[in-house]
Amino acid sequence: MIARYTRPEMGRIWSEENGFQKWLDVEILAAEALAQLGKVPKSAVARIRKGARFDVSRIRKIESEVKHEIIAFLSCVAESIGDDARFLHVGMTSSDVMDTALAIQFREASAILVEDVKDLMKVLRRQAFKYKRTVMIGRTHGVHAEPITFGLKLALWYQEMARNLARLKKAVDDICVGQISGAVGTFAQISPKIEAYVCKKSGLKPALISNQIIQRDRHAYFFATLAVIGSSLDKFAVEVRHLQRTEVQEAEEPFTPGQKGSSAMPHKRNPILSENVSGLARLMRSYALAALENVPLWHERDISHSSVERVIAPDATIVLDFMLRRMIYVLGDLCVYPENMKRNLEKSGGTIFSEKVLLALVDKGIARDTAYRMVQHHALKVGRDGGDLKRELLRDPEVRRFISADQIESIWDVKHHLTNVDAIFRRVFH
């Protein structure tokens, strides 16, 4: 399912072919840098760049014998360039190649995710302004609270994605580092100038210090950031699922012509797209946990992190790409029902104005607790037996001693709750 909906270029980034090509790119750049220092003949580097080739199936065949992927890769490349192969991997260790190449893949994958986040923010902005004054009930604990607008809900999500965008950019900056420092990171057999050259050409920063690997706290921060973004999408998806409930029916996912919701019940329109996002968010959080487990490695390195990253690096970026694109579609084409929002707003018998009544009584000099109990008595009765809070208050002589019928009538105006909508929008969309 994921492969059908994610961007093709995201899958290409994590293909075996592209992974090995990144390894080759790093090896050739290191040879170029060595040539500039007079350590390798420039003519040899020119021949390597022109003739170096690899074949994935051949690499795997060699690996089945030598049981070492980098050695198998270098042996395969050597078959295409002959004696010049001795100028590759000079003074380097496996992780110099693998970790630097992995950082390049993260940079490429992250560029797609950044654009996805920006696209979702555009959708949220557009929809927020469209429904800026579409009044609906705000809910806390799943229970009617006070009026808000659907636009405010979407503006809240926009601001959350703006924070996620900033987090993602920081995480990308943190993970886009390379190393060409040799065994245990001491540069004993290779100059730091090689690392600087390779990183500059690859669009990376050199790690200020490494041992035999790039430190995995960087990766943990990156995957944790992806998990936070996934959890935000889960939050949006859960809200859509709640709003689509039969008892609410204020908004629902797009339902295309010919689509069927149930194999048994023809009437069904289920929020399956949002449910998919909620399910995938659980995976995103598990990837973050796996990345955190990769931080403590033995001494200068072990390879317990490697097997984990071969799964979570492609999976997390591909899954998040899918989730973002899915929510762009769901929220961009969301079916919104203002009349149902209005109907639900009125369902609670006016109890949504209870705070305003409370404050009006306090303003008349009544102790807050006393005023609270006066209003609560009637509000709970309406909630239990039905009826209308305004009518109950108008009938209560104790309440009428302090606030007139006209004052009570004036309280029943939802416009009061929209007074600062424009100000909030200015703060969010400045």
Side-chain angles (χ1 to χ4, degrees), residues 136-151:
M136 65 182 297
I137 187 61
R139 298 173 173 90
T140 60
H141 307 276
V143 177
H144 284 204
E146 292 191 358
I148 60 170
T149 75
F150 191 51

Side-chain angles (χ1 to χ4, degrees), residues 319-335:
V319 167
L320 188 58
D321 175 41
F322 173 86
M323 293 171 70
L324 285 161
R325 294 182 69 216
R326 168 146 287 184
M327 290 311 294
I328 287 167
Y329 169 63
V330 168
L331 296 174
D333 288 16
L334 193 68
C335 301

